Amino acid sequence: MIKGVLRFILAVIFILSGFVKAVDLVGFSFKMEEYFSPTVFNMPFLEKFALLFSIIVVVLELFLGFMLLIKLKLKFTLSALIALCIFFGFLTFYSAYFNVVTDCGCFGDAVKFTPWQSFFKDVVLLIGLIILFVLYRKEFVKKDEYSNAVVPSSNKFKYYILGAFSLVMIYIMAQGLLHEPMIDFRDYKIGTDLKTEKEKIAKNPSEYKTFYSLKNQKTGEVLKVNQDDYIKETKYWADGSPWKIEEGKNESVLIKEGYKSEIVKFKIEDPSGLEVTDEIIKAPKAVLVFSYHPKEVPQELIQKIEAKVNAQKGALIYGVSTDHNTFKTIKNVMMDGTAIKTIARSNPFILVLQNGKIVDKQPAKDYIK
């Protein structure tokens, strides 16, 4: 009874974890790129394979989780899941210890975990899988199943179920890759009112405090001092003081959690640095063309997009990218590439707003059809 309940709980966790990433494989690949970046594992040559690795990870989670649920090849399934947990445990511990990836993406955009929460989650899962392995060890088939000529009828039924599950998951993943996620867990889903979100953020902002890393030039002692204490204590900055700020080692620490929303990163500027965000979210209608890798977009496609958006009479039209020379017949504005990726899962991408509310969003290739 206990082992059955534990097996069910763990299987559901892996299936859900795989599912929320399966609906948005591109979004998960952005997280994989973060792990491969120079600031984390310094493997930039693997960034171009991020999507492939994302698909492999999601497939393993989904199918191993489902195999655990239906008790198919239990010894192999548990062994593979234990190996998977050890691998991800290493990643999440590294992220937490060195504070390099703030969100592992374990449950996509559906549930956010801090680095340490992600690590302890992996530890708990690993312990649960080891317990299951011990509890089920007597049920493992000692004889190599692959050598059997006849597959038991009960197992045949399980394979049929696994096959049906596979087809459904492949369809969901394909929809997310070719179009938009079937289920949108992001803050930028259709119906989101950016103007209202901005107002909520302004009323309840998060508060941060800067901590300076000070080193005593005489003794070599190092202190972490918050900005208020630094100003109050003249011994840290007065003429002749042995204390000097260590460049590049200051930290910004969250001291009050405000209203949490990814919309806080929705900040658009013209090439001169003038912010146009308010103009966009207050416009009766705004059509925004996003591109996080503008140099990878063919000019022919840009021309087709511009022709389509320019036909939108009365709409405020902007081309939002990381390069102020991306678009030719619509006004170029700038936005951080990572922030654009939060909104756009394809390159380029169209977002339509009415009085600040998202009413349509789709890949450019679908928009111009």
Side-chain angles (χ1 to χ4, degrees):
M1 177 64 180
I2 294 176
K3 64 183 180 182
V5 172
L6 180 59
R7 177 176 57 80
F8 176 81
I9 292 172
L10 292 179
V12 169
I13 290 174
F14 279 105
I15 293 170
L16 288 177
S17 175
F19 177 79
V20 295
K21 293 195 286 285
V23 297
D24 188 10
L25 281 169
V26 177
F28 183 50
S29 74
F30 292 156
K31 185 58 60 178
M32 294 295 284
E33 286 179 5
E34 210 175 323
Y35 278 107
F36 296 142
S37 68
T39 55
V40 186
F41 288 112
N42 196 21
M43 297 178 178
F45 58 92
L46 289 178
E47 288 182 12
K48 60 184 177 181
F49 301 110
L51 182 58
L52 174 61
F53 285 125
S54 300
I55 293 171
I56 292 171
V57 168
V58 168
V59 166
L60 285 174
E61 277 192 313
L62 281 172
F63 295 106
L64 290 174
F66 195 75
M67 288 170 69
L68 180 63
L69 184 68
I70 62 177
K71 287 181 67 176
L72 182 62
K73 294 191 176 297
L74 203 51
K75 184 177 182 180
F76 164 79
T77 300
L78 285 170
S79 300
L81 285 172
I82 287 172
L84 198 63
C85 268
I86 292 173
F87 172 70
F88 278 110
F90 165 73
L91 288 184
T92 53
F93 175 77
Y94 187 93
S95 299
Y97 187 80
F98 292 102
N99 194 30
V100 287
V101 179
T102 56
D103 173 25
C104 71
C106 305
F107 285 87
D109 287 296
V111 181
K112 301 289 186 180
F113 284 106
T114 66
W116 281 116
Q117 286 173 339
S118 300
F119 171 68
F120 289 122
K121 179 264 300 177
D122 288 331
V123 170
V124 171
L125 288 176
L126 179 60
I127 293 171
L129 289 168
I130 292 173
I131 292 172
L132 269 187
F133 194 94
V134 173
L135 293 176
Y136 275 106
R137 68 188 186 282
K138 293 182 180 179
E139 296 185 30
F140 295 152
V141 179
K142 295 180 180 180
K143 191 174 181 179
D144 186 0
E145 292 185 35
Y146 291 107
S147 66
N148 293 340
V150 180
V151 179
S153 58
S154 60
N155 275 7
K156 282 184 180 180
F157 180 69
K158 290 179 181 179
Y159 281 115
Y160 291 145
I161 295 176
L162 181 61
F165 176 77
S166 303
L167 291 175
V168 173
M169 290 300 105
I170 290 171
Y171 175 76
I172 289 172
M173 288 188 283
Q175 283 294 306
L177 287 172
L178 299 175
H179 306 287
E180 268 285 278
M182 294 184 69
I183 304 174
D184 197 346
F185 294 107
R186 290 167 290 172
D187 288 349
Y188 290 95
K189 55 182 167 288
I190 290 178
T192 299
D193 191 325
L194 302 185
K195 186 162 54 176
T196 300
E197 289 293 296
K198 283 284 189 180
E199 290 170 355
K200 290 179 180 178
I201 294 167
K203 288 179 180 177
N204 185 20
S206 295
E207 294 180 13
Y208 295 84
K209 184 168 286 189
T210 299
F211 279 75
Y212 299 123
S213 178
L214 303 178
K215 185 173 183 179
N216 191 305
Q217 303 299 304
K218 294 180 179 179
T219 65
E221 182 184 0
V222 176
L223 290 177
K224 287 286 185 183
V225 179
N226 73 61
Q227 59 193 38
D228 295 333
D229 291 340
Y230 178 79
I231 294 170
K232 290 176 184 176
E233 299 289 341
T234 57
K235 66 179 181 179
Y236 293 132
W237 50 266
D239 289 341
S241 171
W243 295 100
K244 301 296 179 185
I245 295 176
E246 293 188 289
E247 295 297 330
K249 294 187 178 181
N250 299 333
E251 295 180 2
S252 181
V253 179
L254 178 69
I255 59 172
K256 175 184 171 292
E257 184 77 80
Y259 180 72
K260 293 185 68 175
S261 172
E262 285 292 328
I263 311 302
V264 72
K265 299 174 185 175
F266 190 80
K267 182 179 180 181
I268 300 175
E269 300 175 341
D270 68 14
S272 69
L274 179 66
E275 190 169 350
V276 295
T277 310
D278 281 348
E279 178 191 6
I280 290 170
I281 62 178
K282 291 177 181 178
K285 183 177 182 180
V287 179
L288 307 177
V289 184
F290 287 93
S291 177
Y292 49 80
H293 285 317
K295 292 182 180 179
E296 296 179 4
V297 184
Q299 281 300 312
E300 183 182 353
L301 179 56
I302 289 179
Q303 290 171 6
K304 290 180 179 178
I305 296 167
E306 290 180 337
K308 181 72 179 284
V309 297
N310 282 328
Q312 303 294 314
K313 302 299 181 182
L316 179 66
I317 300 169
Y318 280 125
V320 189
S321 72
T322 55
D323 183 351
H324 63 272
N325 292 315
T326 301
F327 303 96
K328 308 305 178 187
T329 64
I330 59 177
K331 190 174 181 180
N332 285 278
V333 288
M334 313 291 288
M335 191 175 188
D336 175 70
T338 302
I340 292 177
K341 287 180 177 180
T342 307
I343 303 168
R345 292 309 196 227
S346 62
N347 181 49
F349 188 84
I350 312 299
L351 189 75
V352 181
L353 306 176
Q354 285 184 357
N355 296 308
K357 180 180 284 188
I358 298 174
V359 295
D360 191 20
K361 51 186 293 191
Q362 54 184 308
K365 63 180 183 296
D366 291 341
Y367 181 76
I368 61 177
K369 284 181 180 178

